[in-house]
Amino acid sequence: MQLDQTFTVAASPEAVWSAFHDPVLLVACLPGASLRGEVQGNRLPLLFKVKLGPIAAAFAGEGEVHLDETARTGRFAGQAADPRSNSRVKGEASFAVAAVDEGTQVTVAVTFTITGSLAQFSREGIVRALAEQLTRQFADNLQAE
């Protein structure tokens, strides 16, 4: 599934791009996400708790972040599993930071697959609504920081 989203932060592109260099800050801004240990280079040990329909899942896994300083773009790729629901998720999020009149526009394109029992409840409409809600909350939290 592919999800494309855009949000604006009332801050300079330099400040927003600087925030993307702080994985601890970014994880703290994403509802349901937490670090399971120390960040080592560009590798992040992550835990992400989510509820889709009647199933609550806690995905534990690892991701990598790569930044292109010149273009102010990057990507995050990762995979995780929830042993309780016997589900797995694998995905990649590409992002770009650009100046706009209101501050900084962040564009995000996410591609992912879900397998296991949670895949039965991950209808496109439910997942899109959840992604939109998480993006809004992430943007609000990033703005507050």
Side-chain angles (χ1 to χ4, degrees):
M1 181 177 292
Q2 167 116 12
L3 302 169
D4 297 308
Q5 304 206 317
T6 302
F7 61 90
T8 302
V9 179
S12 71
E14 293 77 18
V16 175
W17 184 243
S18 178
F20 275 89
H21 286 77
D22 185 349
V24 174
L25 170 70
L26 293 179
V27 170
C29 288
L30 184 61
S34 61
L35 290 171
R36 296 182 301 118
E38 298 277 327
V39 175
Q40 296 180 358
N42 64 344
R43 299 182 76 73
L44 309 171
L46 296 170
L47 178 65
F48 186 70
K49 295 180 180 180
V50 65
K51 184 170 174 140
L52 281 176
I55 296 180
F59 287 96
E62 189 171 273
E64 284 188 357
V65 64
H66 300 278
L67 302 173
D68 180 334
E69 298 296 332
T70 306
R72 286 195 178 155
T73 62
R75 72 179 173 81
F76 173 80
Q79 56 188 357
D82 173 45
R84 195 172 75 196
S85 68
N86 196 27
S87 298
R88 294 186 169 282
V89 64
K90 181 177 183 179
E92 181 173 305
S94 299
F95 53 88
V97 172
V100 292
D101 290 341
E102 304 82 29
T104 302
Q105 179 175 300
V106 179
T107 304
V108 182
V110 178
T111 305
F112 68 93
T113 56
I114 299 174
T115 59
S117 63
L118 192 58
Q120 297 171 4
F121 297 98
S122 62
R123 291 186 200 101
E124 187 171 338
I126 294 171
V127 172
R128 285 193 189 282
L130 176 63
E132 289 171 5
Q133 176 186 356
L134 290 173
T135 300
R136 274 193 310 275
Q137 291 174 336
F138 175 82
D140 290 347
N141 294 339
L142 185 60
Q143 178 70 60
E145 290 296 324

